[in-house]
Amino acid sequence: MDPVEVAYRAGHRVAVLYRFYAKILKGASAHANSLIQQGVKAEEAE
C-alpha cells in the first residue's frame, strides 16, 4: 500500500508515519543484534 494512502487513513502526514516506524524498526534492529551477539557468545563458549 502506498505510504500516502496509509498516512491519509491514519490521519497523519507521511513524515509522522516514517518517524513512528523508524523508532520501531530501530528498536527491533537493536533487539535482533542483541540476540545475534548472544548466539555468537554461546557458540564461542562451546
Side-chain angles (χ1 to χ4, degrees):
M1 184 178 286
D2 179 36
V4 175
E5 178 68 19
V6 173
Y8 173 75
R9 289 182 181 198
H12 296 293
R13 297 181 324 225
V14 174
V16 172
L17 291 180
Y18 281 137
R19 269 198 313 269
F20 177 76
Y21 286 111
K23 289 178 185 177
I24 290 172
L25 294 174
K26 184 177 181 181
S29 176
H31 179 66
N33 287 337
S34 174
L35 292 175
I36 292 167
Q37 187 62 31
Q38 289 174 13
V40 168
K41 286 181 181 180
E43 281 291 315
E44 291 174 346
E46 291 181 3

